[in-house]
Every structure is written in structure tokens, then in C-alpha cells.
Amino acid sequence: MQLSKLISSILVFSSCAFILTGCSNVDPDEAITQDNVRKAAKSFDKNENVKITALGGSAYLIGKTVNSVKKRLESDYHSFEIKQLLENTRFNRKNNLELFGKGKLTADGVKSDAVLSQREKQNELTELSAYANYVKNVQRESSRELPLGSAVLAKGALTCRRFSDLEALLATEDTPSFNKDKNRKIRRKECHVLPKEIKLRIREIKKLEKGGEVYQTARGWLSVKDVKTKPSKEELDELRKEQTAVLEQLKNHPSPAFYNGYRSLLNLSDADKTRTELANKAIAINMKEFGEDWTTASKRLVKEQQAFNASEYKCFFQKDCSENEKLNLRMAHYVLTPEESGIKYGTLPCEIRKGAKCWNAITD
């Protein structure tokens, strides 16, 4: 991978500062401490020290032994690399989305770790559009305030255009000057008296410092005392159900391009050459790691990718991204792990890619 080569080339320079010459090696089973960490570094070759530097240098070694480091170094460095790869993938996606939002992204400008064909880049651009529109709709529907219902305003109810006018007037309600202040505001057209009973939608409800509530309607602000009929619980329940229906519809039908890093390997098309190759490679990796045949390893991948899709939803809506992070790292592992030689690829399941000879991994 290009990313792996880039990391290694950068770290080889910093590793020089970590390795000191002229020191004798430590006992391979002796615990590495702050005092002997520089000697311990001499127990590793240049390539190992490059990886140790990437993992934290002295901080990585202290508390371990030379033998334990040698046993786990490759595994730890692989974990480091897949995290870096995932971070880079997310950076590219964020950059693509930002450019798309500004109307500056073309198919040729799509950034990706993989080498994509022109058709795949165009497909990526289409999916970015679908994702951006989906997120915008979810954010709009999520930010809507819940409806407050409608109220019947009594004939003669006093309403004021501004909340401050009504608040100031109600503050003098129990004083001799109330009627004088009320008539003055009516003359100035800051407030007015409703000539007849009317039903209006409540836009906002505010609490008064002295106690009580006021409503805002299309006719202005009025005291709850002048409300003849308040909205019923049944009315409110129905209104809120109608408003949240759009958001629930969006939640139940997420965008096909709905992902947080890597996209799943399900429902691939003819345009998804790179991801189809990755699906074959992932099955081969599962065959080796779990000692399975092609069919069993394929079923494992389908179940994993279905869980991956579900974790995207949970991460976006419920802000629980632990499972999604784990599965994204698994995807990075598939990308970074070298392709196995000598493995004959079988037919992909229909869940991954439909075709004349595909088979159903879940039911077959």
C-alpha cells in the first residue's frame, strides 16, 4: 500500500534518533525500564526499530521484554497501520464531502486510497450526492420543534405584537394604572383586542417571571388566561406523530451511501470493480484466519457486512460507534493484508453481488 510505504519512509528518519550505538544488549527476558531502554533498542534490527518508533519508541518498550516485543511487534504494527489507513480514508471522505458541498468536486477530483476507475469515481460522486442530501434531510427533520397544537382565543382577548409589551402590561395587571396602560398600547397599535373568538396555532409558549404562561400565535402574544380552549393531549399526540413520520421514514430507509469510513461490501454492481476484488480478498483472508472453505468464509463475510451496515445506523442516530469502529478497522485489515497466493476464488454470494451464478449466503 502507498500509505504503508509513506509511513515507513517518514519513520526511518525518526528511528535514527531512537537507536544509539555503542551499547551492549540487555537480557531478552529482562524487563525494559527507563534506565535500560537505550540498550534494549540495540536488540532490534533497523526495520524493527522503525516500527517501534512508529508505535511510540521508548514508551512502547518500557514494561515489556525484548522477547515479548519481538513476538508481538508485527501484530502491534499491523494494528497501527490499519488505524492510520482508516484515518486516511475518513480524511479523504471528509475532503470529498466538503468539496462537494462547495460545488467544486468533479469525478476526477475524488480522493481515495484505492486506485479507482473513471466509472468508479463517477459512482463515488453520485453516492456523495445521495449521502449529502440524506444528511441534510435528517438534520432538517431532527431540528424541527415539536408542534404545540392550537388554542381557541376568547372574544375580547388582548394580544400584543411583542412579548416585551405584553410582559410589561401584565406586570401592572393588579394596579390602578393597568387599564390606562392597556388603552395606551391599543392606541399605539402595540396591542389589540380580538373582536371575536378565533382558533389559532400556538407557535411558542413562554413562562412569566411573576408566574403564568403566555402564548405566541399569528395574532401576537396573549395571556393563557385569555385562552378559551387549550390543545388536548390527543391533538398533540397526533400532530407530533405526523411531524415525526418523515424523520422515521428517513431512519428506516438510510441512504445507500451511508457509511462512516469504509462502505460495506454488499449489493455491489458492475461499476464496483475495486470493491468486488476486495470482497474476494476478504473471503480468502477469512478462509486462512478461520480455517474455512469458500462457502463458509463467504457466509461469515455476509453476516459481518450486514452487521457493519447496522452499525452505521447506530453510530449516526444513536451516537454509539463502538461496533462501527471495530468493523471499520476490520475493513482496513482486509485492505492492508497482502493478497493470498494459491487460493482459487469461488462464486460470490448474491448478497455481495448479483449474477447468473450467485447463491444466497443466508438461505443456501
Side-chain angles (χ1 to χ4, degrees):
M1 294 296 294
Q2 293 180 350
L3 179 65
S4 178
K5 291 179 180 178
L6 178 62
I7 292 171
S8 297
S9 62
I10 293 172
L11 293 177
V12 72
F13 294 102
S14 58
S15 66
C16 296
F18 180 72
I19 307 170
L20 298 181
T21 59
C23 301
S24 60
N25 296 351
V26 299
D27 185 322
D29 292 317
E30 178 185 347
I32 301 172
T33 64
Q34 190 68 50
D35 295 331
N36 65 8
V37 66
R38 292 183 177 182
K39 290 183 180 180
K42 291 293 294 176
S43 302
F44 305 100
D45 62 31
K46 183 178 178 181
N47 184 53
E48 288 173 330
N49 270 297
V50 167
K51 295 176 180 178
I52 290 169
T53 302
L55 294 169
S58 297
Y60 173 74
L61 290 178
I62 291 173
K64 303 180 181 73
T65 66
V66 170
N67 280 340
S68 68
V69 170
K70 285 184 176 291
K71 286 179 182 178
R72 60 187 289 182
L73 183 58
E74 289 302 320
S75 174
D76 288 349
Y77 186 70
H78 181 71
S79 297
F80 166 79
E81 280 194 305
I82 65 175
K83 287 178 182 177
Q84 293 298 306
L85 184 60
L86 176 57
E87 184 178 326
N88 194 58
T89 299
R90 284 179 172 154
F91 175 82
N92 284 336
R93 179 161 171 76
K94 181 181 178 182
N95 185 70
N96 288 337
L97 282 167
E98 286 179 354
L99 289 175
F100 179 83
K102 296 175 183 177
K104 297 180 179 180
L105 185 65
T106 62
D108 288 334
V110 170
K111 292 185 179 296
S112 174
D113 288 329
V115 179
L116 303 179
S117 66
Q118 192 65 25
R119 187 179 181 187
E120 286 175 306
K121 287 185 175 183
Q122 187 59 52
N123 190 46
E124 173 85 359
L125 191 61
T126 301
E127 289 192 347
L128 284 169
S129 174
Y131 177 82
N133 288 331
Y134 179 81
V135 171
K136 181 176 68 176
N137 290 336
V138 169
Q139 290 173 340
R140 184 190 65 239
E141 294 301 323
S142 299
S143 64
R144 287 185 189 276
E145 294 183 1
L146 290 175
L148 301 171
S150 301
V152 176
L153 282 53
K155 178 181 178 181
L158 178 70
T159 65
C160 299
R161 287 185 300 167
R162 295 182 301 186
F163 169 74
S164 57
D165 288 332
L166 181 63
E167 186 179 37
L169 191 58
L170 293 177
T172 65
E173 192 172 18
D174 299 325
T175 66
S177 64
F178 173 74
N179 286 328
K180 181 179 178 181
D181 294 339
K182 173 183 172 181
N183 291 331
R184 182 170 65 251
K185 287 188 177 294
I186 291 174
R187 285 197 308 271
R188 293 176 178 176
K189 296 185 179 180
E190 294 170 347
C191 301
H192 65 277
V193 175
L194 293 178
K196 61 180 181 179
E197 184 178 293
I198 186 172
K199 184 176 182 178
L200 294 172
R201 182 174 64 85
I202 301 171
R203 295 178 175 176
E204 188 177 353
I205 299 175
K206 280 190 176 183
K207 302 279 187 182
L208 296 172
E209 288 186 11
K210 64 174 236 175
E213 293 179 337
V214 291
Y215 291 171
Q216 183 189 32
T217 69
R219 295 295 183 91
W221 291 90
L222 76 154
S223 171
V224 71
K225 296 176 182 178
D226 291 326
V227 174
K228 186 175 181 180
T229 306
K230 295 182 181 180
S232 65
K233 181 180 182 302
E234 290 74 16
E235 179 190 2
L236 287 176
D237 289 344
E238 185 61 29
L239 286 171
R240 290 172 182 178
K241 183 179 178 181
E242 290 175 2
Q243 179 166 310
T244 56
V246 176
L247 181 59
E248 289 304 313
Q249 176 72 7
L250 286 168
K251 285 184 176 182
N252 293 332
H253 297 83
S255 164
F258 193 74
Y259 56 95
N260 177 36
Y262 288 99
R263 70 192 78 184
S264 78
L265 298 174
L266 299 177
N267 303 314
L268 303 182
S269 69
D270 292 339
D272 296 315
K273 180 183 177 183
T274 301
R275 282 199 290 155
T276 299
E277 291 173 352
L278 181 59
N280 281 314
K281 181 182 174 185
I283 295 171
I285 290 171
N286 283 341
M287 289 172 67
K288 180 181 179 182
E289 291 184 357
F290 299 102
E292 297 171 340
D293 58 22
W294 178 269
T295 300
T296 307
S298 297
K299 290 181 178 181
R300 177 185 292 275
L301 183 66
V302 169
K303 289 179 181 179
E304 176 192 89
Q305 295 300 302
Q306 288 175 337
F308 190 24
N309 276 349
S311 75
E312 297 287 6
Y313 175 96
K314 193 173 183 181
C315 180
F316 186 86
F317 288 107
Q318 301 174 21
K319 308 305 178 186
D320 181 356
C321 300
S322 56
E323 184 69 9
N324 182 253
E325 185 69 12
K326 183 176 77 174
L327 292 170
N328 261 301
L329 289 171
R330 181 66 180 170
M331 290 292 291
H333 169 68
Y334 291 147
V335 173
L336 197 59
T337 301
E339 190 166 354
E340 288 294 320
S341 60
I343 293 182
K344 185 178 179 180
Y345 292 159
T347 306
L348 287 172
C350 300
E351 291 90 346
I352 293 178
R353 183 173 178 179
K354 286 186 169 31
K357 296 181 180 180
C358 76
W359 53 282
N360 294 309
I362 303 303
T363 58
D364 287 2

